[in-house]
Amino acid sequence: MAGNIFGNVLRLMTFGESHGPGTGGILEGCPSGMTLDLDLIRNEMQRRKPGQSGISSPRKEDDEFEILSGVFEGNTLGTPIGFLIRNKDARSGDYEATKELYRPSHADFTYEEKYGLRDYRGGGRSSARETASRVFAGAIAKQILMKHGIAVNACVTQAGKIKLQIPPENLEFSLAENNVVRCPDAQTAGQMIAYIEKLREEGDTCGGVITCLISNAPAGLGEPVFDKLQAELAKACMSIPAAHGFEYGSGFAGAEMKGSAHNDAFIKVENGRIRTATNFSGGIQGGISNGMNIYFRVAFKPVSTIKTNQKTVNHAGEEVVLKAEGRHDPCVLPRAVPVVEAMSALVIADFLLRNSFVKFD
Amino acid sequence: MAGNIFGNVLRLMTFGESHGPGTGGILEGCPSGMTLDLDLIRNEMQRRKPGQSGISSPRKEDDEFEILSGVFEGNTLGTPIGFLIRNKDARSGDYEATKELYRPSHADFTYEEKYGLRDYRGGGRSSARETASRVFAGAIAKQILMKHGIAVNACVTQAGKIKLQIPPENLEFSLAENNVVRCPDAQTAGQMIAYIEKLREEGDTCGGVITCLISNAPAGLGEPVFDKLQAELAKACMSIPAAHGFEYGSGFAGAEMKGSAHNDAFIKVENGRIRTATNFSGGIQGGISNGMNIYFRVAFKPVSTIKTNQKTVNHAGEEVVLKAEGRHDPCVLPRAVPVVEAMSALVIADFLLRNSFVKFD
Amino acid sequence: MAGNIFGNVLRLMTFGESHGPGTGGILEGCPSGMTLDLDLIRNEMQRRKPGQSGISSPRKEDDEFEILSGVFEGNTLGTPIGFLIRNKDARSGDYEATKELYRPSHADFTYEEKYGLRDYRGGGRSSARETASRVFAGAIAKQILMKHGIAVNACVTQAGKIKLQIPPENLEFSLAENNVVRCPDAQTAGQMIAYIEKLREEGDTCGGVITCLISNAPAGLGEPVFDKLQAELAKACMSIPAAHGFEYGSGFAGAEMKGSAHNDAFIKVENGRIRTATNFSGGIQGGISNGMNIYFRVAFKPVSTIKTNQKTVNHAGEEVVLKAEGRHDPCVLPRAVPVVEAMSALVIADFLLRNSFVKFD
Amino acid sequence: MAGNIFGNVLRLMTFGESHGPGTGGILEGCPSGMTLDLDLIRNEMQRRKPGQSGISSPRKEDDEFEILSGVFEGNTLGTPIGFLIRNKDARSGDYEATKELYRPSHADFTYEEKYGLRDYRGGGRSSARETASRVFAGAIAKQILMKHGIAVNACVTQAGKIKLQIPPENLEFSLAENNVVRCPDAQTAGQMIAYIEKLREEGDTCGGVITCLISNAPAGLGEPVFDKLQAELAKACMSIPAAHGFEYGSGFAGAEMKGSAHNDAFIKVENGRIRTATNFSGGIQGGISNGMNIYFRVAFKPVSTIKTNQKTVNHAGEEVVLKAEGRHDPCVLPRAVPVVEAMSALVIADFLLRNSFVKFD
């Protein structure tokens, strides 16, 4: 059983290698009768595409999509939405030199071990190019959420050792789109950009952290005991290429706290609504949303493609030197922001739909 | 679509409320013809059960299990294994006082929001009592793995602010069972136990971190692009009650590193086997195991049940005071060790079985 | 991937061998807040249990069930409902003589080929004893349907060559419970009973046909293109032991008709409701219910256990004679009626829940 | 939860409306390292495509496919195979007249009831045009089966009341491709063709029966208790547009037989292989293949599109007359033969892969 399907009611299946004819997928479970905002989808695709700034890969892909089904006269039919994003700037010749060797911390070796062969051009299926399909589907999920007033926003809060020290609930996400690194604080963004540009010159790369916040989600989302809200969010985010860590609410820092300090007291606010005084729970209790902001952080390792000669071995087990070629991002974080949002939107929309038949009316 | 099924080929479904007749489940997909080691299962159950030491809940449950099907004359039949663990020391009366109010950072409020009603006795389905079923099934998964020489070991490496600073691959897991806190370093274990006993006297609680290492797993486990090995491990661990964070390999610390330092160079070792010089990848590349040790860390928040009066609200939205009653653990980490192992074993065994039909012979 | 889970939103997983400790299962997805009618469940169990009449197996099983979870103070919690039906009259010794040989048209040979070993006592997992779990779960599904005014009824319309020639929509299902063969026409029932009693004396068995009708189901149930209503009903019914055929609406007879005669004209009836003048479609068009009666027929082969010596081979491949022993039904149809109803109710309830999130409000 | 995914290990998801940009799908789980025979796929597509003979729809579609991923240098990668079949001869204007009314026995009414809107052009998603994707995927499944020596063959054995009375195991399937109606007996084929041509002149249509036989399948395929081999075959075939009945082995006729006549005696044949003397079981016992030929029959209703004026109602509930337009088949059976084969091949290949991890080696 392969792993190319995501979700339960809102189900996405994707396909595509980096240098094949294209990537794409099928999304089923989107409710019928929804007017699709194609500009919103295009905008999300633009946020992810390569070549968008001086700190991203120079590969030229417009990431234009074609919707093949499921939409009629602008509205969703309730039938599966097929979509295709053709690869355009696929320079397969660039990869001849690496076809026999295993690039360090890439998936060349593991794909070959698992499948016995691999499409060596640009990483094939293991390339982050497949995230274009995630962003397309996530843009539809976002529209489902918007109908319910729910917003999903992410931004870069760490690049290398440069960190933005603001509580997640105080982040001004709208400001993140003002700069190429997608950090909402202009000063920190400037430091990050300078750092990444320096790395690019050195031929090196860095990792970082993306913080995501989901606002206005209703209480009741999440399905105990295995499909808890945080469990599905963790799976969703950890399936993104290069993700190495996930924490929600108090996260790893919460492990140091005492229960008396960590407990979120319930309080009654205006119009009888119940909420919590603090939110160390990150909006989730017992695996179910409690109506507060849901927030979490995702750590990404540094990009593996560097412009320095590296020792490695080839298919025959011989020691060889990998001379860096190809196009890459010195820091993948800015382009990963819409991917984190997309995966989160898919999770929340899926739970929203799953929750619709839990209680008898 | 509720969330009580875990796994794809090795599939576990569980049921059970904390103070109902019992908890249990059904495990399907265990290969036929395997002689079950019941003592091994019993031992795992003992490691999880309450009342096992002075720093765990005094609830008295033997956690004896009954196997209802799927095993004949000691061997697995290939048919589903039904099992039942009856609740014995269920003192429902203890919970009358809390039936109308919402305990802070518990799931009382969210269950009621989601389902419209709840079994208020000991948290009902949201109680960690359901993890007994996970440990039972995980003990069978461990036996599947043992047939392939794979071992799954976890231990406590942090309790509150007390941390064991040893690289995961250097931990001596066998020593962890020598003390009640399941920390493999005797000195650190002593500090942890003293800290937890002090908290218990104060009526307070703490969180911590569990480190898990899977050794001798073959290359090839994990199913891109959504069911990556790290994604399923993250989901598995984040579905455990109180888990708040997951990281594998370099994790959050890796986000601070440069690519040139983080890349794991491939090297050839004796008998032609290819491995990596370092292991910042945590044994996983492109979502697939590479034959190196797989390791990760899981953060747990402090236990929510404390022995201090807390302000909260009740079902009617009135402010009330929760007087702490009932039995609880000052630190859940020692008992969570076998649960982390069980969930990890279920994931690895599932991937092992999923991997059996990927390549043509 | 084994096959012990049925359904998508309302999901049933079962376990149990014929002569093991018991059979049972877990049902998840039943909406919360539903008051369970235990008498209704007991009544369904009584309709299926052995020993209920002179024409059924003399095995003595009360088929009493224990609900282990998911119900609190009489109401469903929204959590999984675990249940257990213990085997009582399990005479394993009866089967020593057949442990090495393959009973004709039983599953002894195929289970051994598939799994390498088998529980030879009474057919183990392949025994129809597992249908007790289906009936338990179906009785809950029926209650979900009753909340929506939907009824599921089946009866025996053929035993051997004795056929009741009444259109499905004219059957008076309530009369079927007046006789032991569950045929709603008293005269035909009498013929069937006489025939079955004669077969029993001869040590022989017969097959037959069960007709099922689902009334008052809303339009809109069924999920194209693979999970069509008729496709899931077919799978549900064909998974019942001994089922050999399924047809809905005009069925095999419809294959002989012309389109001009077979088409169901739409007409407008009082209060603006649209219905069809005829119902050769069996209430399903394009895989989706159209609001008319849904009806279908299920053919069952004759019971394989006969009281005549039969030639066969044993595990070693030697020719041997099977001397008929054990307890069995000369005709399984009467006891299969509640099983067909149960499986149909599970399908319809599942589709009802799946349909709740298809359209935007 | 919509229903556009089929299979468990070999999983197919499809999309596409009859007059949208195209139909297609994604197939995952095909083992890696298999050299794809594209001509075989093309040939299967030709057998299904419209306009192939005087007795099929005159719609002109070449049904050329584009493989978008999963294949590299002619070999399967183990990654998902995306494919696209563009619609070319889509004359949407033809359907303006029917956009407001409900064609009898079509899915216009049920789609509108379910989804609130519909793509009225040629039936949209409910059109049999979606079966092109099934045939593409089935052609790959056939190649997996060929590697194991398994063959799947079907032919037309009934058109209207004209029946070919030959036992399934005696059919010469290769002869069926010699005539446009795909009946292996030349004389019967002639009668069928004459009958269908006469119906076409009358503007009428007929149904029929397809018989399918799977030879050389190993014992052990099928997953009790719900995913029995016959249950999945029934679902697969009943999901094909216009299918109204399914029976395997003795089928409905078996319901009339006595157990003593129906039981298939086990016998030992040369080289120690065990088989049965008769095969009323249709190669399946207890839901698992026994190594004998697997055979079954699928009944199809007459095509609903006829060239006669029909009374119906429109969206507003008004009585209107449907004047037949558009292109259609007087008998869909010949084109359904490769669809039945495709669905059967998908089922068998899926079970073959599912069976690979059942037993410990």
Side-chain angles (χ1 to χ4, degrees), chain D residues 120-321:
Chain D
Y120 56 81
R121 302 167 304 167
R125 181 69 173 149
S126 77
S127 163
R129 178 130 193 83
E130 56 93 354
T131 59
S133 298
R134 301 181 189 229
V135 170
F136 174 91
I140 294 178
K142 277 191 174 185
Q143 296 184 47
I144 297 173
L145 296 182
M146 285 163 65
K147 297 264 183 190
H148 294 81
I150 305 168
V152 176
N153 286 288
C155 66
V156 175
T157 48
Q158 183 181 330
K161 294 182 181 175
I162 303 166
K163 301 176 188 180
L164 177 61
Q165 307 279 18
I166 295 178
E169 304 192 82
N170 295 346
L171 291 167
E172 294 246 21
F173 290 95
S174 62
L175 303 179
E177 297 301 308
N178 291 351
N179 57 67
V180 295
V181 79
R182 292 204 167 85
C183 172
D185 180 76
Q187 190 179 346
T188 312
Q191 295 169 357
M192 288 176 174
I193 294 168
Y195 177 61
I196 294 169
E197 287 179 340
K198 181 165 161 289
L199 286 172
R200 191 188 50 194
E201 284 163 27
E202 295 171 359
D204 215 333
T205 61
C206 73
V209 172
I210 287 173
T211 299
C212 185
L213 187 138
I214 300 158
S215 55
N216 208 29
L221 306 184
E223 295 293 337
V225 294
F226 297 119
D227 297 358
K228 287 179 171 144
L229 183 45
Q230 68 270 39
E232 293 291 357
L233 284 170
K235 176 179 170 178
C237 292
M238 294 302 288
S239 78
I240 300 172
H244 263 235
F246 174 92
E247 60 179 6
Y248 80 100
S250 59
F252 277 88
E256 300 191 5
M257 294 172 71
K258 290 185 185 178
S260 55
H262 193 277
N263 276 1
D264 295 318
F266 285 104
I267 54 173
K268 191 182 167 185
V269 291
E270 271 81 69
N271 58 44
R273 200 176 143 236
I274 290 170
R275 41 172 292 140
T276 60
T278 50
N279 188 10
F280 292 109
S281 298
I284 307 172
Q285 289 167 331
I288 301 170
S289 64
N290 67 1
M292 300 290 290
N293 285 323
I294 299 162
Y295 63 89
F296 51 88
R297 293 169 12 107
V298 188
F300 289 84
K301 70 165 188 175
V303 172
S304 302
T305 302
I306 57 176
K307 294 263 178 111
T308 323
N309 285 359
Q310 297 178 85
K311 285 188 182 172
T312 187
V313 300
N314 65 14
H315 183 80
E318 300 158 337
E319 292 186 6
V320 292
V321 171

Side-chain angles (χ1 to χ4, degrees), chain C residues 306-359:
Chain C
I306 57 175
K307 295 264 177 112
T308 323
N309 285 358
Q310 295 179 86
K311 285 188 182 173
T312 187
V313 300
N314 64 15
H315 183 80
E318 302 159 334
E319 292 186 6
V320 290
V321 171
L322 165 65
K323 293 184 183 173
E325 308 279 354
R327 300 159 294 187
H328 77 290
D329 300 79
C331 178
V332 80
L333 275 286
R335 292 179 56 205
V337 166
V339 182
V340 168
E341 290 179 3
M343 293 308 294
S344 305
L346 285 166
V347 169
I348 301 297
D350 190 35
F351 276 125
L352 198 67
L353 296 170
R354 287 170 81 168
N355 204 41
S356 60
F357 45 75
V358 164
K359 269 187 289 193

Side-chain angles (χ1 to χ4, degrees), chain A residues 1-6 8 12 14 102-107 109-111 113-116 125 130 134 158 160-161 163 195 199 202 204-209 219-228 230-232 234-235 238-241 243-252 254-260 262-268 274 280-281 285-286 288-290 297-304 306 310-314 316-318 343 354-355 357-359, chain B residues 1-6 8 12 14 102-107 109-111 113-116 125 130 134 158 160-161 163 195 199 202 204-209 219-228 230-232 234-235 238-241 243-252 254-260 262-268 274 280-281 285-286 288-290 297-304 306 310-314 316-318 343 354-355 357-359:
Chain A
M1 220 181 158
N4 301 287
I5 297 179
F6 186 81
N8 294 275
L12 171 67
T14 69
Y102 303 130
R103 293 170 298 158
S105 290
H106 275 278
F109 175 71
T110 53
Y111 266 64
E113 285 288 306
K114 184 177 187 72
Y115 301 111
R125 180 70 173 149
E130 56 92 354
R134 302 181 188 230
Q158 183 180 330
K161 294 183 180 173
K163 303 177 187 180
Y195 177 61
L199 286 172
E202 296 170 359
D204 215 333
T205 62
C206 74
V209 174
L221 306 184
E223 296 293 338
V225 293
F226 297 118
D227 297 356
K228 287 178 171 148
Q230 68 271 38
E232 293 291 358
K235 176 180 170 177
M238 292 303 286
S239 78
I240 300 172
H244 264 235
F246 173 92
E247 60 178 7
Y248 80 100
S250 60
F252 278 88
E256 300 190 3
M257 295 172 69
K258 290 185 183 178
S260 55
H262 193 276
N263 277 0
D264 295 318
F266 285 104
I267 55 173
K268 192 182 166 185
I274 290 169
F280 292 109
S281 299
Q285 288 167 332
I288 301 169
S289 64
N290 66 2
R297 293 170 10 107
V298 187
F300 289 84
K301 68 165 187 174
V303 172
S304 302
I306 58 176
Q310 296 179 86
K311 285 187 182 172
T312 186
V313 300
N314 64 15
E318 301 159 336
M343 293 308 294
R354 286 170 83 168
N355 205 40
F357 45 76
V358 163
K359 269 186 290 194
Chain B
M1 220 184 156
N4 301 287
I5 297 179
F6 186 82
N8 295 274
L12 171 67
T14 69
Y102 304 130
R103 292 169 299 156
S105 291
H106 275 278
F109 175 71
T110 53
Y111 266 64
E113 284 288 307
K114 184 177 187 72
Y115 301 111
R125 180 69 173 151
E130 56 93 353
R134 302 180 187 230
Q158 183 181 329
K161 295 182 180 173
K163 301 175 188 181
Y195 177 60
L199 286 172
E202 295 170 0
D204 215 332
T205 62
C206 73
V209 173
L221 306 184
E223 296 293 337
V225 293
F226 297 118
D227 297 357
K228 287 179 171 146
Q230 68 270 37
E232 294 291 357
K235 175 178 171 178
M238 293 302 286
S239 78
I240 301 172
H244 263 236
F246 174 92
E247 61 179 7
Y248 80 100
S250 61
F252 278 88
E256 300 191 4
M257 296 172 70
K258 291 185 184 179
S260 55
H262 193 276
N263 277 0
D264 295 319
F266 285 104
I267 54 172
K268 191 181 165 184
I274 290 169
F280 292 109
S281 299
Q285 288 168 332
I288 301 170
S289 64
N290 66 1
R297 292 168 13 105
V298 188
F300 289 83
K301 69 165 188 175
V303 173
S304 302
I306 56 176
Q310 295 178 86
K311 285 187 182 174
T312 186
V313 300
N314 64 16
E318 301 159 336
M343 294 308 293
R354 287 170 81 169
N355 204 40
F357 45 74
V358 164
K359 269 186 289 193

Side-chain angles (χ1 to χ4, degrees), chain A residues 15 22-24 64-66 68 82-86, chain D residues 68 84 86:
Chain A
F15 67 84
T23 59
E64 283 171 8
F65 55 85
E66 181 185 10
L68 298 166
F83 60 94
L84 174 60
I85 303 148
R86 291 210 177 264
Chain D
L68 299 165
L84 173 60
R86 291 209 177 265

